[in-house]
Amino acid sequence: MILIISDGIGDVPVPELYNKTPLEYGDYPSLDRLSREGINGIMDPLKPGFPAGSDTAHIALLGEDPRKVYRGRGYLEALGTGLEPGKKDIAFRVNFATVDRGIVTDRRAKRATFGIKELVEQINENINIGIPFILKEATGTRAALILKGNDMSSEVSDGDPHVDGKSPLKFRPLSIGMHQQKTAKILNDFVAKTHEFLKDNPINKERAKKGLLPANYLLIRGAGTRPDVQTFQSRYGVKPACIAATALIRGVAKCFGFDLLPVKGMTGEYNTDEVAKADTTLKALKNYDFIFTHFKPTDTASHDGNPAKKIEMISKLDNLVSIILECVKPEETVIALTGDHSTPCCVKDHTGEPVPLVIWGGRVRTDDVSHFDERSCSKGGIGRIEARHLVNILMNQASKLKKYGA
Amino acid sequence: MILIISDGIGDVPVPELYNKTPLEYGDYPSLDRLSREGINGIMDPLKPGFPAGSDTAHIALLGEDPRKVYRGRGYLEALGTGLEPGKKDIAFRVNFATVDRGIVTDRRAKRATFGIKELVEQINENINIGIPFILKEATGTRAALILKGNDMSSEVSDGDPHVDGKSPLKFRPLSIGMHQQKTAKILNDFVAKTHEFLKDNPINKERAKKGLLPANYLLIRGAGTRPDVQTFQSRYGVKPACIAATALIRGVAKCFGFDLLPVKGMTGEYNTDEVAKADTTLKALKNYDFIFTHFKPTDTASHDGNPAKKIEMISKLDNLVSIILECVKPEETVIALTGDHSTPCCVKDHTGEPVPLVIWGGRVRTDDVSHFDERSCSKGGIGRIEARHLVNILMNQASKLKKYGA
């Protein structure tokens, strides 16, 4: 089984594209082949109308109910960067941002990665906040932070204002308690000290010379602890692997017990090497039963509000699928292709519209859909389902489920 | 956002209409425009196949799970007539009925309202049952009753046989307990005393002169207490208003914190002034974010088993929609039109078939449906959803939902 998730792929009619969505507008022969030879539908990541985060959506996609098991994004992000936070540690998401005279001018310092790794190292070596911490770089200007200690709490607010043009926020306890207060105090101290350390840092001077925005402030958010999920192998009896660049997705997969496969040239950015990802997916079929291949840049283009770029990224996805299709047989391999949520280019954020879904291979009841897009798939044989049911549908195609009852 | 609910609009093929439903048979240009320019689907008020009451259906339509919060219809009906029952009061629905020689000959005294208001006043003044009570008239021959006191219970059976041609029922406790016993006893006493008071009442003699059936018996049913729902404003951050004549619907909306807007000429009956309702809906857009406009007579025609009348009433609804459509823009206003349940004319009661649904405006993914009816909408882009998800879908279109997760 191969599950391909194209992040944020769902969209809505775009006026510049003659009221077509990026999926409807572009020409994607391999995606269309999946639709033509498979069974199609639309899928709500959580519930109809409800916008999902990437974390909660992927927890649902892997078969668990996020309302029961989700404990914040930070832990997943940290796990995905390669950190191994302990059971009592609190983990956070971090962006290197640009702050100018107290105002966040770019929450992601234009995603320019130059020098970020060095800045992370320097912060780990030089900043003292009285308790052990680990900062680790992720993709782009993202990073993860772990606060260690037995008296920390994830019940603290974000320091990230979540939009440009505002001041960073002070951390506050979200409930009454000594641990919450202490954690908020430590975070405020950490952000102040790192800002002081970063603003005149030689690396930021080099960034300036290159015309890049300074990475002079740590926006911290998404306090989290370990979600309580069952491993995929214990639940379904299959050996699973994940191919993903994005730290968060790697973290979710790791929580479910997926092996994380390395791919050279996989970046999670526009320049990611989709050929290498397809090759790794195909190779993994030899050693694994279930391969989850994640494709991030469709979501990035959507957050950037760029339909033309989204079309270009869907073409890369189409190329990835074409390579896989060349080498697998429908009798042996079941492929599902869908998204984790809709991110319309006009909204630049996750929304509650359902995503298109196609399942190819196995013994699927094919339908009349011949184009993989939001509206065509809504006429398909799957109808409208919730994401938490998808893994069961795939496992059924692969005859991996025991009947309930007798 | 405008949510238009046409009560009981769903129907089934009618032989006299060449096996079309009243929605399929008639010519409704504005409803069809909504379908053509919007996204369509079918909706189960509760669960597939399950017939809903108007109260439980509306609780679901406003986003709550009736299985968790519903506490009987009487309280909602009382609230909707303008009564303000206390937390411990028990409220009931009442029909002024015609009883002849111990048999209910017309459960609604032919809906003739003449003299009902005066009879209600006289009962409040003259009847003594040992505890405080309030009777209040609603639309048609309907009324609401509140029993006050700390030792009352809603665990009592109905006095209404629910069909003509049978005797009224004795009230019985539905579970063991002093309060249940006392409440049943008081209700039996109340019905006996009011029947005695009504049967030779001068107003009923006047009704007879006019050729109207006597309103000589109080059929009481639907004991209820306050449902535990969150207000719409606290849940979604929008300011809501309701335009409805029917006491029950007004009561449900009031429970959810909707302002009830007055409309001259709004009756909830066949003669309701749909133009005035449309005008009030449009005016309300200035001061409210979410307007729930209820249209009752489609259900009345269905309960009366009259497909021709239902078609006439849907034409009135079409006129209401046409006036609204003339004055709103899809970029600014999201309109949803649906029903609370199906009431097929051939059944004359609520059934479990889904209702058609259209959503117009916002960034909806339009579909190929061009006619608003049960069968056309089933081919639309929404697919089949449950009513409790509708508000989230609308709030998503208006970008009023925060994502769950990150």
Side-chain angles (χ1 to χ4, degrees), chain A residues 11-12 42 47 49-51 53-56 66-67 70 73 342 347 349 351-354 374-375 379 384, chain B residues 363-368 379-385 388-389 392-393 396-397 399 401-406:
Chain A
D11 214 299
V12 299
I42 51 175
K47 299 279 172 191
F50 214 88
S54 289
D55 42 13
T56 49
R67 292 194 189 264
Y70 181 57
R73 177 157 171 167
S342 292
V347 180
D349 204 350
T351 65
E353 279 90 354
E374 298 84 350
R375 286 186 271 209
K379 296 174 192 158
R384 182 171 189 156
Chain B
R363 48 172 197 259
V364 294
R365 297 171 180 160
T366 54
D367 57 29
D368 301 334
K379 297 172 192 158
I382 295 172
R384 182 171 186 155
I385 61 164
R388 66 199 164 96
H389 298 304
N392 279 342
I393 292 175
N396 174 55
Q397 282 302 321
S399 298
L401 292 180
K402 278 188 192 162
K403 70 184 162 202
Y404 174 59

Side-chain angles (χ1 to χ4, degrees), chain B residues 178-246:
Chain B
M178 297 288 283
H179 295 186
Q180 292 86 319
Q181 274 194 301
K182 182 175 175 187
T183 310
K185 194 163 175 290
I186 283 177
L187 286 167
N188 284 320
D189 183 38
F190 180 68
V191 162
K193 284 179 175 162
T194 49
H195 182 45
E196 200 56 38
F197 180 79
L198 290 168
K199 65 182 181 187
D200 301 315
N201 191 290
I203 286 172
N204 270 326
K205 287 178 182 159
E206 278 187 71
R207 281 175 69 99
K209 273 184 210 159
K210 288 173 178 289
L212 303 173
L213 287 180
N216 63 9
Y217 200 96
L218 298 185
L219 289 178
I220 299 176
R221 56 182 163 142
T225 56
R226 186 170 188 91
D228 183 24
V229 302
Q230 200 184 339
T231 69
F232 220 64
Q233 188 146 15
S234 70
R235 189 162 185 181
Y236 298 111
V238 300
K239 202 179 163 197
C242 169
I243 296 167
T246 313

